[in-house]
Amino acid sequence: MSAYFFRDGDNYPIVATTSEIYSTEVDLPVGHFRCFVMNQTPEEFWTYSFMNMNDFSTAEAALTMTKSGWYKSKVSRAGIDPAAVAVAPEDLGIALIDEFEITEEMVDDYQALYADWKTKTKAAQTKGSASDDSTRDAAAKAKVALDGATYHIYGIAYNVVCELNVKVHIQNIYNLYSARASMDGLADGFLISADRASDNETVQLMDSDVWSKHIDDIDPTKGYVEGRVRTLGLPGSISGNLALRDPNANIFNFSCQLVDRTTTRDFEFKVGNKFNIEMGVHGINLVLDLELGTWEDPDVVLPDVPPAGSDGGGFDVNVDEWEQGETVEIPM
């Protein structure tokens, strides 16, 4: 883990790294400190770029960007590749520590007790007599006094990564060969000291390998696909009634390749106000649930096509790239 100590007036933090995951000891100078702890060092993460780490109030973890082989943004943004998407984040554990003060008196007291412990420990080692308990007792008492002068700070690290679960109800699901999707308007980073997602937005993909198909036992023409991806959640602080959010805040593009391996259908959903949220511990580790349509009224209807080859209507989660299909806008 990494502990970042920011002293008022300093331009850079004091950073302590250790493989001990429950506690560590750090020598700090006199001053007023703010602190956070992470579950790794910045260099050990590969899905984040850490920025502005010299200041407690600006430290941020931003998702690493990559280039998709199939996704292209419909919105042109200056300096941003239309194929740019964010990778799914790895676990990021953050512990925010209450502000604390190291005074000159604390340092002086500790140094005096440390000197006393060193002197008595050396005396006990020099005597070296098994029968001479007094020097060993004195050294032990000096160590207890030294430990008592150690200032203890506590924190609990919470994983800030969220889950996005999506369920899409489909009519004529037997025609579905594979599915993939994109979700824009997700947070592209985490503001460490603010303990929330950043305000900036990004796109994340739900590739074919994250989807599973479920066919209804009673009516095999109906069913749904569901997928899950790790995200940093929605931008900014999550509060209030999400049903009041702008539907355009998140656009979910869902693409289907049909069993003839040629026909594709693309569906666009405006879902900024459609999320259900399960709040986790400390308000972090939340789950975003999104369900499109119902069993009685599926939001996706697929046309009938003849299956390719002899494999019927199987569902493949690993398919070759396919051409862009016709986009169908769904009124919500």
Side-chain angles (χ1 to χ4, degrees), residues 252-271:
F252 179 69
N253 289 290
F254 183 67
S255 298
C256 300
Q257 186 180 44
L258 306 190
V259 293
D260 62 358
R261 315 284 182 87
T262 302
T263 305
T264 61
R265 288 291 185 269
D266 296 339
F267 302 87
E268 181 179 284
F269 300 91
K270 299 175 181 179
V271 299

Side-chain angles (χ1 to χ4, degrees), residues 213-225:
K213 182 167 75 172
H214 305 269
I215 298 176
D216 188 73
D217 293 333
I218 300 173
D219 184 351
T221 68
K222 297 181 181 292
Y224 62 89
V225 294

